[in-house]
Amino acid sequence: MPGRTVELLTQRLVPHIEQGRAAGQQAYMKTQQPFLGVRVPQVRAVTKDFALEFDLDTAEARLEAATELWEYATHREHWYAAAELCAHRSCKGRLDFLPLYERMILEGAWWDIVDGCSRRYGETLLAHPGIVEPMLRDWATDDFMWKRRMAMIAQLHLGTRTDTGLLDYALACNLADPEFFIRKALGWSLRQYAKTDPDWVRTWVDAHQGRMSGLSRREAVKHLGA
């Protein structure tokens, strides 16, 4: 039955609803989509138990359940649960998950959903660079802002495995964009990579500081010192 996964998960989330929390969550996130009022860490814990209860022990089973949760979601916690199902080690780096991740970006179209996909794209980039790297290069100049953001933040967690050529390209393509979420992502990605290679980041900022927004530059050098 379509939507059955949503119904079953909701039954397990309901005992964790905190009175009055849903309205505050929705106001904070500025979404039309309602919340149940369950804290995100609790959503993750319930989702993990749910996966065990219903034997979602293969990547294929998790993809099917996550896709149904995404498609038939009535509350944002269902979207968070879909993302949690995809975070399991069995799902990392799998190309068959990319259509769902792209739906999350296109239909979620907000920072909580898009940023939550960054690890998934980074893992898939490492596993299939010949496919994902050119895709992210295309996204770096896409008309859709959230794809451009993903092109910049997909490598946030890769550390020494960061493809600096891809990072440089994605950032340079978006230097002139006045959108807050693009400028923030540009600085954030540099700040994160500075933990791995501060000299690379200093050199990049020096080379582009005439075109960088104040927001991007402040974020980029926040932990670099003088």
Side-chain angles (χ1 to χ4, degrees):
M1 178 189 301
R4 179 63 173 164
T5 303
V6 171
E7 179 183 345
L8 292 171
L9 181 65
T10 302
Q11 292 171 3
R12 287 148 182 81
L13 288 171
V14 164
H16 303 283
I17 292 174
E18 297 181 22
Q19 189 68 29
R21 185 171 183 80
Q25 287 176 302
Q26 188 173 357
Y28 173 73
M29 290 305 307
K30 299 180 175 67
T31 67
Q32 294 298 314
Q33 187 181 39
F35 282 78
L36 286 168
V38 181
R39 294 177 184 269
V40 172
Q42 194 64 57
V43 173
R44 292 174 179 153
V46 169
T47 304
K48 288 178 181 177
D49 291 343
F50 182 84
L52 291 173
E53 180 182 355
F54 289 95
D55 298 321
L56 302 180
D57 52 3
T58 66
E60 291 79 9
R62 284 175 172 267
L63 177 58
E64 181 179 358
T67 300
E68 186 173 341
L69 283 173
W70 184 267
E71 186 162 347
Y72 295 100
T74 58
H75 294 79
R76 207 163 190 85
E77 286 89 344
H78 299 137
W79 279 4
Y80 293 159
E84 181 62 30
L85 287 177
C86 298
H88 190 262
R89 62 183 178 276
S90 66
C91 309
K92 291 182 178 180
R94 291 182 59 115
L95 289 175
D96 51 344
F97 279 71
L98 284 181
L100 176 58
Y101 298 155
E102 186 167 1
R103 283 189 67 180
M104 290 178 173
I105 292 173
L106 292 172
E107 298 168 16
W110 198 237
W111 64 266
D112 59 332
I113 302 298
V114 174
D115 294 1
C117 291
S118 64
R119 283 186 183 270
R120 309 290 81 82
Y121 276 95
E123 293 159 358
T124 314
L125 173 64
L126 290 179
H128 304 279
I131 294 174
V132 180
E133 192 264 355
M135 182 191 76
L136 290 175
R137 282 183 176 268
D138 286 343
W139 284 16
T141 57
D142 197 272
D143 289 340
F144 192 62
M145 176 188 76
W146 297 105
K147 283 190 172 183
R148 297 201 306 279
R149 183 173 170 99
M150 181 55 67
M152 291 187 285
I153 67 172
Q155 301 191 80
L156 281 177
H157 311 286
L158 298 191
T160 57
R161 295 174 294 177
T162 297
D163 179 342
T164 53
L166 172 59
L167 180 62
D168 171 61
Y169 179 78
L171 299 180
C173 285
N174 288 278
L175 273 170
D177 197 306
E179 167 59 48
F180 169 82
F181 286 107
I182 295 297
R183 291 183 168 185
K184 186 78 170 180
L186 198 157
W188 181 21
S189 60
L190 287 168
R191 185 185 77 210
Q192 187 70 11
Y193 189 56
K195 298 176 182 178
T196 298
D197 192 342
D199 289 338
W200 189 95
V201 173
R202 287 191 185 96
T203 299
W204 200 95
V205 170
D206 287 345
H208 297 88
Q209 61 180 337
R211 298 177 60 203
M212 289 181 76
S213 69
L215 171 61
S216 295
R217 191 180 188 287
R218 286 192 300 274
E219 285 293 313
V221 303
K222 183 173 289 186
H223 304 304
L224 284 178

